[in-house]
Amino acid sequence: MSLVVIGLVLSSALWALRPDNRPTRTPPSGAGPSGSTVVLPEEKVPLVTGDEAIHEIFIRAGCVVCHEIPGVPEAKGRVGPPLVLGSTGKRRLGDPAYRGKARTVHEYVIESVLEPDRFVVPGYPSRTMPAWYGSKLSALALEKIARYLEQQTGDEENEG
Ligand code: HEC
């Protein structure tokens, strides 16, 4: 029951945090619409155990504020790239600027969540994705996230 309450509180908090409720067609050039910065306060994000359904994990963790995620209608964020690692993951690993340790797309997703600034996706702002997810997401939650995202495909550019 209390989980439901937390969920409701979090959803309204996330709603209030939405960068802009009007649909924007701003190209993903870095900061949010007209230079506004999206900040997700750490205290708004509860611990995610991984027992939640994947959809719930993305909402609770606040990923939906900054990312589009196939199959998750709430995920309409434009601050970061659409999470279609099934399409983009291999390219990241092969990028000459990539200095991370991941060998597979699965590992790359986990690394990106735990250490977002190890590789900054070209065209997107650095030090914007929270660096504290390691203290909020259980190993199981990370596994589920990686398993889901490595299978998603789509158009990264998203026609602006
Ligand atoms: C406050 C905004 C914000 C939040 C919240 C956020 N991200 Fe990000 N994310 C970004 C930005 C900006 C980038 C691109 C810059 C970079 O690589 O660090 C990014 C990059 C990524 C990447 C690399 C994508 C690629 O195409 O290579 C993954 C994976 C990712 N985020 C997953 C997540 C997940 C999962 C969550 C929730 C647990 C999350 N993000 C929450 C802003 C955010």
Side-chain angles (χ1 to χ4, degrees), residues 38-40 57-58 61-67 79-85 88 92 108-109 112-113 116-117 119-121 124-130 133 137 145 149 156:
V38 177
V39 178
L40 180 65
I57 292 178
F58 288 129
C63 320
V64 299
V65 177
C66 295
H67 290 285
V79 179
L83 298 181
V84 289
L85 282 300
T88 52
R92 305 286 188 249
Y108 171 73
V109 172
S112 298
V113 175
D117 284 324
F119 175 74
V120 177
V121 178
Y124 291 90
S126 64
R127 286 188 275 151
T128 299
M129 175 152 166
Y133 275 123
L137 302 173
I145 288 172
L149 294 182
E156 181 189 11

Side-chain angles (χ1 to χ4, degrees), residues 6-19 39-41 43-46 59 65:
I6 293 171
L8 286 175
V9 170
L10 182 71
S11 339
S12 42
L14 289 177
W15 180 260
L17 283 169
R18 281 160 61 94
V39 178
L40 180 65
E43 62 273 15
K44 298 269 193 240
V45 173
I59 292 181
V65 177

Side-chain angles (χ1 to χ4, degrees), residues 25 36-38 41 77 111 115 123 152 159:
R25 306 299 286 166
S36 68
T37 323
V38 177
E111 185 180 76
E115 302 174 76
Q152 303 309 312
E159 75 263 322

Side-chain angles (χ1 to χ4, degrees), residues 36-113:
S36 68
T37 323
V38 177
V39 178
L40 180 65
E42 182 172 1
E43 62 273 15
K44 298 269 193 240
V45 173
L47 287 174
V48 178
T49 65
D51 294 327
E52 304 87 349
I54 186 67
H55 171 256
E56 192 64 26
I57 292 178
F58 288 129
I59 292 181
R60 289 181 138 229
C63 320
V64 299
V65 177
C66 295
H67 290 285
E68 283 184 32
I69 306 172
V72 183
E74 294 87 346
K76 299 214 190 312
R78 291 291 183 90
V79 179
L83 298 181
V84 289
L85 282 300
S87 297
T88 52
K90 290 252 160 58
R91 201 187 322 150
R92 305 286 188 249
L93 292 170
D95 191 308
Y98 179 68
R99 296 276 179 275
K101 296 200 184 96
R103 295 272 174 271
T104 62
V105 173
H106 190 92
E107 289 172 4
Y108 171 73
V109 172
I110 294 177
E111 185 180 76
S112 298
V113 175

